[in-house]
Amino acid sequence: METLHPFDSGIALVPAGPDLMVGRTLPEWANMVGPFGGITAATLVHAIQMHPDCHGRPVALTVNFAAPIADGAFDVGLRAARTNRSNQHWILELTQDGETKTTATAVFGVRRETWSGTEAVPPDVPTPKGPTGSGFPPPIVWTENYQMSFVDGALPGVDAEPNTSSTTTLWMRDNPPRRLDFPALTAMCDLFYPRVFLRQGRALPAGTISLNIYFHADQDQLDAQGDDFLLGTAHANRFSRGYFDQTAEIWSRGGVLLATTQQIVYFKG
Amino acid sequence: METLHPFDSGIALVPAGPDLMVGRTLPEWANMVGPFGGITAATLVHAIQMHPDCHGRPVALTVNFAAPIADGAFDVGLRAARTNRSNQHWILELTQDGETKTTATAVFGVRRETWSGTEAVPPDVPTPKGPTGSGFPPPIVWTENYQMSFVDGALPGVDAEPNTSSTTTLWMRDNPPRRLDFPALTAMCDLFYPRVFLRQGRALPAGTISLNIYFHADQDQLDAQGDDFLLGTAHANRFSRGYFDQTAEIWSRGGVLLATTQQIVYFKG
């Protein structure tokens, strides 16, 4: 009997009708309340990829975390609202007992050769030294599914002081290592703990409300990555009246910008 | 008879049933193909604000431009998929004759006092010198509805050379000036012409596929702005195989970060 990688178990779906798939939360992917948002986002990408109408590869994704997903089964309703020659627009809704828990839209596209160039510059950092642990306390189960090697801005410890910068930079990959694909890249876009923890030097109530990802890599650039570490760097622009943003870049070790991502996070404190 | 400001005419909607409103394109807001994406995005924000279930103010918005909107009437279907105590999640779809032209999701929220801080730094620029014109050729009608004073990275002229930077920084406001509100701020997030024009020193086929906005300002911060110029700065991170991103910040003259925004743009060339 073959054993699935924990990530593949986490995003598993069973078609249950036209435009409907059924998934299930797993204890290995538990966050403080409900599952890790990254595994939910990855599951939605996977749902589109499994759909018979799927055309092209992920270009853009927005996932809105409307309410906590309860332990157990969930439905993913999805539909291609529009299919053009070179791209396709999806609308998705994750529900439990008819209650909306997550909404999403996605753009898939067919890529073709054009002029290209990368203007962003990867952080100048040492190569990964091997996993150092996430620093997350045991209730945050999902972090066990990642190897994280922090270069800068690790999770503040018990005696941490406030910081003037919200930047975290780390090497990261699945644990155990797994060949990179679009769902895995999606999940890693949500790997950065809330930036307000770093600024305040302590954990406080906070949760992602909406996550946006632009995929800059095509399939061959993900294939070239294999199961190597990715370099992620994230920072916030503004914290104000209960919300802040965080913006991140995901780089390959070789300096290919695989994705840019941003999210808006709710916080108290 | 009172005359509406062109922006208010542009976003006008008539309720046509529960969860349905009807709008109409206007020649004054025409872009190369279909209307300016910013006026469409603003119309969707306005639709939510007009809906009797609306709770709170805009926090996050994603608009996916699935197909060109034809001249004439359009339907906006919208529904609050989830209403929580402090936020609300909307799903919207703009259609013409039943065909999906635009999809969107939005998060509205009720803000409350918390710790706050702005980590981003506004560009160090001279105060606005008055409008200098957008530099857009006549077929791009909508640009007449804005005053633009470019500090850096104006639209390339006929003999322009390629640039190594994709950064544009400009002062901007409605033309004629109009008190800032959330729909107007939404539209201005889409005011930056495609970054690939600047990099290549020429116009080429390009169009926004998906636009994402995080609103950092509450109503009182928009009110404080009045009808003054806003400072916008935009740049791209990566151009690759038919797509590029552009990321922008919208600042008040007084240095308040009102919104951060990003979009993914399709291009040929």
Side-chain angles (χ1 to χ4, degrees), chain A residues 79 82 93 99 112 267, chain B residues 79 82 93 99 267:
Chain A
R79 118 185 114 87
R82 177 99 193 181
E93 206 164 343
E99 262 190 75
R112 63 198 178 292
F267 78 106
Chain B
R79 117 184 113 86
R82 177 98 193 181
E93 205 163 343
E99 262 190 74
F267 78 107

Side-chain angles (χ1 to χ4, degrees), chain A residues 3-8 29 130-131 143-148 172-181 184 188 225-230 253:
Chain A
T3 305
L4 278 183
H5 188 282
F7 185 80
D8 292 297
W29 287 95
T143 59
E144 297 300 318
N145 298 316
Y146 290 97
Q147 296 179 6
M148 304 189 197
M172 57 194 184
R173 65 173 170 182
D174 290 310
N175 183 33
R178 176 183 174 279
R179 198 178 59 77
L180 187 66
D181 55 17
M188 277 189 268
Q225 172 67 17
D227 64 1
D228 197 4
F229 279 96
L230 302 184
R253 192 196 289 246

Side-chain angles (χ1 to χ4, degrees), chain A residues 62 64 66 79 82 84 93 99 105 112 114-115 117 119 166 199 220 237-239 241-242 257 267 269, chain B residues 62 64 66 79 82 84 93 99 105 112 114-115 117 119 166 199 220 237-239 241-242 257 267 269:
Chain A
T62 295
N64 303 291
R79 118 185 114 87
R82 177 99 193 181
N84 298 311
E93 206 164 343
E99 262 190 75
T105 62
R112 63 198 178 292
T114 56
W115 172 78
E119 206 166 308
S166 67
R199 286 297 304 272
D220 59 336
N237 291 298
R238 185 174 179 202
F239 304 82
R241 297 194 189 169
L257 184 59
F267 78 106
Chain B
T62 295
N64 304 291
R79 117 184 113 86
R82 177 98 193 181
N84 298 311
E93 205 163 343
E99 262 190 74
T105 62
R112 65 201 175 292
T114 55
W115 172 79
E119 206 166 308
S166 67
R199 286 297 304 273
D220 59 335
N237 290 299
R238 185 176 178 200
F239 305 81
R241 297 193 189 169
L257 183 60
F267 78 107

Side-chain angles (χ1 to χ4, degrees), chain B residues 11 28 30 58-59 89 95 141 197 217 221 230 236 260:
Chain B
I11 63 169
E28 305 89 285
V59 170
H89 290 260
T95 58
V141 181
F197 293 8
Q221 289 171 334
L230 302 184
T260 48

Side-chain angles (χ1 to χ4, degrees), chain A residues 30-269:
Chain A
N31 203 351
M32 285 292 279
V33 179
F36 167 49
I39 200 76
T40 302
T43 301
L44 298 179
V45 168
H46 186 217
I48 298 170
Q49 291 178 321
M50 284 176 64
H51 197 289
D53 294 345
C54 179
H55 176 58
R57 302 270 159 67
V59 170
L61 175 73
T62 295
V63 180
N64 303 291
F65 301 97
I69 298 172
D71 291 345
F74 55 79
D75 290 330
V76 176
L78 70 164
R79 118 185 114 87
R82 177 99 193 181
T83 301
N84 298 311
R85 198 162 47 84
S86 70
N87 65 43
Q88 187 174 50
H89 289 259
W90 290 87
I91 300 177
L92 304 94
E93 206 164 343
L94 186 158
T95 58
Q96 287 183 310
D97 296 327
E99 262 190 75
T100 300
K101 300 300 181 77
T102 315
T103 68
T105 62
V107 183
F108 274 47
V110 177
R111 291 178 175 268
R112 63 198 178 292
E113 279 313 315
T114 56
W115 172 78
S116 68
T118 300
E119 206 166 308
V121 176
D124 183 17
V125 298
T127 55
K129 287 174 301 188
T132 60
S134 68
F136 285 87
I140 314 295
V141 182
W142 67 267
T143 59
E144 297 300 318
N145 298 316
Y146 290 97
Q147 296 179 6
M148 304 189 197
S149 175
F150 285 88
V151 175
D152 198 17
L155 192 72
V158 227
D159 298 320
E161 296 289 320
N163 285 281
T164 52
S165 161
S166 67
T167 299
T168 283
T169 302
L170 81 163
W171 292 101
M172 57 194 184
R173 65 173 170 182
D174 290 310
N175 183 33
R178 176 183 174 279
R179 198 178 59 77
L180 187 66
D181 55 17
F182 283 104
L185 179 57
T186 298
M188 277 189 268
C189 285
D190 193 33
L191 209 73
F192 307 92
Y193 67 83
R195 305 293 84 207
V196 71
F197 292 9
L198 189 55
R199 286 297 304 272
Q200 296 218 6
R202 65 188 176 100
L204 55 164
T208 304
I209 292 186
S210 186
L211 168 70
N212 176 244
I213 302 172
Y214 296 147
F215 299 93
H216 297 287
D218 206 344
Q219 185 68 46
D220 59 336
Q221 288 171 333
L222 299 193
D223 292 343
Q225 172 67 17
D227 64 1
D228 197 4
F229 279 96
L230 302 184
L231 179 63
T233 184
H235 71 274
N237 291 298
R238 185 174 179 202
F239 304 82
S240 179
R241 297 194 189 169
Y243 301 95
F244 64 91
D245 66 301
Q246 50 191 60
T247 294
E249 298 164 359
I250 313 288
W251 296 87
S252 78
R253 192 196 289 246
V256 177
L257 184 59
L258 302 174
T260 47
T261 177
Q262 37 277 323
Q263 56 180 260
I264 189 123
V265 185
Y266 156 95
F267 78 106
K268 274 189 182 174

